[in-house]
Amino acid sequence: YDIALHMKTSTEVGGDYYDFFLQDDGSMYVVCGDATGHGLNAGMMVSITKAGLYGSNFDTPASTTSRLNKTIKAIDLGTTRMSLNMAKLKDGEIDFTSAGMPPAYLYRKDTKEVDEILVPGLPLGSMKKADFDLHSFHLDTNDAIVLISDGLPECVNHDGEMLDYEAVRDCIKDNGDKSAQGILESLIKLGDEWMSGLMNDDDITLVVIKKK
């Protein structure tokens, strides 16, 4: 896999999170998360999430997310929640689940189209007993999956207008033939040009994975 990453926090302590967990069977778990708000409480939530995942038994994204939810709920940081996308990649297959995150984007090399993968689910810490749906996809050579937090699509310009998710999807479609780093740089440029010198109000995180 060809992988590129970007995180731009809005304050000194960010509330976004990404991570990778390689497994003995050759699979790789990829996580992209977004804690409520930013600052100290959000940073604490990221630390709890990371600790919970590093001590977790990875079997499927859905069951792993369910166990993590129970851990976060038990610690109880008040109204702070953790939204999370989790994908398992192995031999070109993707198992994917979501807990209150923006959609993931799946670029198809053959059709040059982008599928929006939006899986309903409550953010982690909302309810002790929560189920998470599992969706499976296949990646062909030069297909790509893009995981994002809401910081990029919800960034605003000088007129207070939000960039929105359609612009993000169109950017991935227009640049999907590029390398993972090329796709990433096109998304960063999209946000920078839209904000035109403004500081992002929320953390921006991008994870681009392209199958070689």
Side-chain angles (χ1 to χ4, degrees):
Y1 296 100
D2 178 23
I3 301 173
L5 309 161
H6 173 74
M7 180 181 286
K8 183 181 180 182
T9 61
S10 61
T11 61
E12 290 83 356
V13 181
D16 279 8
Y17 170 61
Y18 68 78
D19 219 331
F20 298 84
F21 300 88
L22 297 175
Q23 304 300 301
D24 292 339
D25 65 355
S27 63
M28 177 175 66
Y29 280 75
V30 184
V31 174
C32 181
D34 182 2
T36 306
H38 41 263
L40 182 58
N41 271 8
M44 289 176 62
M45 178 60 80
V46 168
S47 297
I48 292 166
T49 300
K50 183 171 184 175
L53 286 170
Y54 270 81
S56 182
N57 176 28
F58 290 87
D59 38 23
T60 72
S63 58
T64 302
T65 302
S66 181
R67 287 192 297 272
L68 179 61
N69 174 65
K70 291 177 182 177
T71 300
I72 289 174
K73 184 61 177 175
I75 293 172
D76 190 8
L77 286 181
T79 58
T80 304
R81 303 286 183 264
M82 188 72 183
S83 297
L84 196 81
N85 277 338
M86 183 183 295
K88 175 186 178 182
L89 288 79
K90 185 180 181 183
D91 300 328
E93 301 297 326
I94 299 179
D95 294 330
F96 179 82
T97 195
S98 182
M101 276 292 275
Y105 295 96
L106 189 60
Y107 172 78
R108 297 293 192 186
K109 167 69 174 178
D110 288 347
T111 62
K112 301 189 185 302
E113 294 294 334
V114 175
D115 296 329
E116 189 177 75
I117 308 171
L118 182 60
V119 180
L122 291 173
L124 304 182
S126 301
M127 296 177 61
K128 184 176 181 180
K129 293 184 178 180
D131 294 323
F132 300 94
D133 295 334
L134 188 67
H135 291 245
S136 297
F137 312 90
H138 178 75
L139 278 187
D140 289 321
T141 299
N142 291 321
D143 287 352
I145 184 168
V146 181
L147 307 180
I148 67 170
S149 65
D150 60 9
L152 176 61
E154 296 183 7
C155 70
V156 297
N157 62 13
H158 286 271
D159 295 323
E161 299 169 325
M162 191 170 69
L163 176 63
D164 217 342
Y165 292 86
E166 185 176 356
V168 173
R169 185 186 62 208
D170 289 345
C171 182
I172 295 169
K173 179 180 177 180
D174 293 342
N175 295 277
D177 279 342
K178 297 178 180 178
S179 65
Q181 185 65 32
I183 297 171
L184 183 78
E185 289 174 358
S186 70
L187 290 169
I188 295 171
K189 181 180 179 182
L190 174 70
D192 287 346
E193 290 182 348
W194 182 258
M195 290 184 285
S196 187
L198 293 176
M199 182 62 184
N200 46 304
D201 291 328
D202 197 4
D203 304 329
I204 295 174
T205 299
L206 307 167
V207 178
V208 182
I209 302 171
K210 194 160 195 178
K211 188 175 183 299
K212 292 183 178 180

